[in-house]
């Protein structure tokens, strides 16, 4: 039977980084994945350019039932550490917007870099490897499709449930629960929202229209783009608030913050203009037309009472909508919730109760905003676990 110091389950962002950090310390590391190649989510991330981190990473960019948990790991492995790694491998990068850092070339370079670091650290990587059972005596014993291995440390790094067609599973959650670790409820996060009834019908008709908005939910506000879809709403602003949304709650959209002043000012200045024409000067034409049909009589703006214009302005400054649901794990960028951080050490990611058991990355109840935060959590939690495993 083969024996290792550390066995890591899942060769995604967190598992690869954990392997590098443990391997550099001279630990004998086996990195296992059931997929045919490592880092598949890195490859498809950021439209193929991998938004690998964010310059502005702060603990409050992350959701968790235990909000201070991420602080220690994020402070010990920082965005500049990952940038320095890219620079050592001569991989070009650039800042897009809102502190988001992307590769100039391809996400494939990031995976190649991580694999080169793994090779340099002597990591044994096995892809296409199914784990059939795990038990713990003096050491962990991991049964795989190709034989049994033992280790003194076991790292759960199989991510969350988002994008099942890429091989995502709840494996880490199941193993954690089997070893007595608590879980927080899981849900799709960074996910498009769906709508029924009249709202759903309007969104369907507006599918493809996009505009900058401020979207708010659960005390969080994001000023980014919104996109109408066949099933409801998407775009960065919506993906961000979706992580805060819970079934039955509403979200608020600010489409035109200055609407009250703009509408009344234009009524005074150009009373003969059609109301929908005026609205189309302020909003995308298809949206303006749909809102005018629903909320205004087909009249010149000068003939529309101020009361109606103020009502429409109220909608444009705080459109309250109640989603019927989300597009689910098939479209979610990440999984919210997961292994309860209250059962882990924030310095090492090791279980407080089960010696040698670690959990990192998306499998853990730490969910980042859109914009490189989730990879930074994967790198940071993987790195600190590798220093202790
Ligand atoms: P990850 O999912 O990366 O890795 C888990 C690994 O475990 C996989 O290799 C999987 O095959 C393996 N595995 C699963 N079940 C297993 C089992 N039973 N046995 C063995 N192996 C198993 N984030 C960001 O910061 N910037 C971005 O640009 C993007 N873009 C993006 C695009 C899309 C389309 C998605 C779906 C997600 C993103 N993300 C992102 C989120 C980011 O990809 C995600 O948070 C990290 O990949 C999480 O890293 P982990 O290593 O925890 O899981």
């Amino acid at each position: 039977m083969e024996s290792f110091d550390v066995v890591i389950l899942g060769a995604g962002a967190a598992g690869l980084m954990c392997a590098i950090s443990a391997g550099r310390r001279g630990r004998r590391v086996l990195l296992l994945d059931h997929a045919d190649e490592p880092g598949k989510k890195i490859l498809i991330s950021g439209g193929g350019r991998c938004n690998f981190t964010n310059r502005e990473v702060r603990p409050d960019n992350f959701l968790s039932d235990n909000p201070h948990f991420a602080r220690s790991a994020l402070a010990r492995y920082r965005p500049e550490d990952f940038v320095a790694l890219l620079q050592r491998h001569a991989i070009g990068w650039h800042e897009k917007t809102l502190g988001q850092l992307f590769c100039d070339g391809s996400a494939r370079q990031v995976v190649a870099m991580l694999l080169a670091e793994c090779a340099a650290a002597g990591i044994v990587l096995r892809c296409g490897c199914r784990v059939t059972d795990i038990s713990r005596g003096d050491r962990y014993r991991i049964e795989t499709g190709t034989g049994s291995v033992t280790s003194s440390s076991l790292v759960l790094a199989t991510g969350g449930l988002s994008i099942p067609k890429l091989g995502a599973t709840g494996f880490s959650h199941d193993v954690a629960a089997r070893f007595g670790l608590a879980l927080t409820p899981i849900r799709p996060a960074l996910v498009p929202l769906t709508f029924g009834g009249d709202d759903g019908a309007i969104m369907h008709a507006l599918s493809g229209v996009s505009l900058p908005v401020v979207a708010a939910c659960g005390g969080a506000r994001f000023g980014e783009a919104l996109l109408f879809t066949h099933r409801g709403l998407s775009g960065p602003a919506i993906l961000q608030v979706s992580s805060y949304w819970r079934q039955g709650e509403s979200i608020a959209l600010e489409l035109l913050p200055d609407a009250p002043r703009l509408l009344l000012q234009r009524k005074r200045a150009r009373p003969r203009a059609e109301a929908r024409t005026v609205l189309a000067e302020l909003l995308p034409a298809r949206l303006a037309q749909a809102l005018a049909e629903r909320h205004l009589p087909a009249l010149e703006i000068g003939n529309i009472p101020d009361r109606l214009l103020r009502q429409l302005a109220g909608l444009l400054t705080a459109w309250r909508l109640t989603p019927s649901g989300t597009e689910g794990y098939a479209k979610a960028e990440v999984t919210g919730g997961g292994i309860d951080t209250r059962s882990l050490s924030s310095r090492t990611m090791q279980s407080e109760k089960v010696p040698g058991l670690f959990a990192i990355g998306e499998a853990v109840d730490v969910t980042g905003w859109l914009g490189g935060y989730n990879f930074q959590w994967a790198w940071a939690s993987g790195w600190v676990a590798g220093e202790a495993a």
Side-chain angles (χ1 to χ4, degrees):
M1 188 175 332
E2 285 180 291
S3 157
F4 293 88
D5 296 319
V6 185
V7 169
I8 303 170
L9 306 181
L16 286 160
M17 187 55 96
C18 180
I20 294 164
S21 115
R24 282 190 185 180
R25 291 171 47 234
R27 302 286 275 163
R28 199 168 136 65
V29 179
L30 172 65
L31 179 57
L32 293 182
D33 204 294
H34 69 169
D36 53 1
E37 63 175 324
K40 279 191 169 177
K41 275 195 190 160
I42 301 174
L43 294 176
I44 61 162
S45 67
R49 293 230 159 129
C50 187
N51 177 196
F52 54 81
T53 191
N54 193 296
R55 215 187 255 298
E56 310 291 338
V57 167
R58 294 182 320 271
D60 40 332
N61 304 127
F62 296 83
L63 292 83
S64 171
D65 276 8
N66 184 12
H68 296 299
F69 179 81
R71 191 174 291 273
S72 168
L74 292 172
R76 283 168 54 211
Y77 191 88
R78 304 180 57 80
E80 44 272 36
D81 294 318
F82 196 80
V83 166
L85 187 59
L86 290 173
Q87 275 163 348
R88 280 207 297 284
H89 287 258
I91 297 174
W93 55 273
H94 60 278
E95 182 170 339
K96 217 167 165 184
T97 52
L98 305 170
Q100 300 168 6
L101 305 189
F102 284 76
C103 295
D104 289 344
S106 154
R108 218 159 255 295
Q109 294 173 287
V110 173
V111 175
M113 170 189 83
L114 294 168
L115 291 176
E117 290 284 324
C118 279
I123 308 306
V124 179
L125 170 64
R126 285 185 197 148
C127 289
C129 181
R130 229 163 45 83
V131 176
T132 53
D133 194 27
I134 299 173
S135 55
R136 177 170 169 264
D138 290 347
R139 292 167 61 76
Y140 289 92
R141 181 178 165 128
I142 299 106
E143 311 294 343
T144 77
T146 53
S148 311
V149 297
T150 68
S151 64
S152 49
S153 294
L154 177 67
V155 184
L156 306 178
T158 62
L161 291 169
S162 43
I163 323 287
K165 71 170 188 232
L166 273 189
T169 68
F171 189 75
S172 288
H173 301 155
D174 299 343
V175 175
R178 204 136 47 82
F179 280 105
L181 273 63
L183 299 176
T184 66
I186 57 166
R187 61 188 190 282
L190 299 181
V191 64
L193 296 173
T194 57
F195 293 82
D198 267 7
D199 291 336
I202 286 200
M203 289 165 189
H204 182 86
L206 292 174
S207 170
V209 171
S210 141
L211 74 162
V213 301
V214 175
C217 181
R221 282 167 62 82
F222 295 92
E224 289 190 61
L226 169 145
L227 173 70
F228 289 93
T229 72
H230 288 291
R231 301 187 57 194
L233 297 176
S234 187
I238 295 301
L239 299 184
Q240 297 281 31
V241 291
S242 75
S243 298
Y244 291 83
W245 179 76
R246 298 293 183 278
Q247 192 72 42
E249 291 177 358
S250 62
I251 63 167
L253 300 179
E254 193 178 283
L255 303 182
L256 193 61
D258 210 12
R261 188 185 64 79
L262 288 171
L263 287 178
L264 292 173
Q265 184 196 57
R266 286 183 193 213
K267 174 176 172 177
R268 312 278 177 254
R270 289 162 48 217
R272 306 292 306 274
E274 283 287 321
R276 72 186 50 182
T277 311
V278 169
L279 215 47
E281 292 163 5
L282 304 171
L283 294 167
R286 280 168 63 202
L287 173 61
Q289 184 172 345
L291 290 173
E293 277 169 10
R294 217 184 178 200
H295 298 281
L296 294 178
L299 294 172
E300 293 168 350
I301 193 165
N303 292 324
I304 296 182
D306 284 2
R307 175 182 55 80
L308 278 188
L309 290 177
R310 284 206 187 89
Q311 263 175 25
L312 176 61
L315 184 88
L316 296 175
T317 48
W319 191 8
R320 289 206 86 79
L321 291 158
T322 304
S324 55
T326 74
E327 291 202 24
Y329 291 114
K331 292 285 167 62
E333 204 158 285
V334 290
T335 300
I339 298 170
D340 193 333
T341 58
R342 286 165 288 217
S343 48
L344 303 174
S345 152
S346 63
R347 279 194 64 73
T348 63
M349 304 291 133
Q350 184 168 198
S351 162
E352 304 278 12
K353 280 201 294 202
V354 188
L357 183 64
F358 295 72
I360 57 176
E362 198 181 314
V364 171
D365 172 30
V366 174
T367 305
W369 288 1
L370 188 74
Y373 299 97
N374 284 297
F375 277 137
Q376 187 59 33
W377 170 246
W379 314 135
S381 60
W383 182 263
V384 300
E387 291 211 307

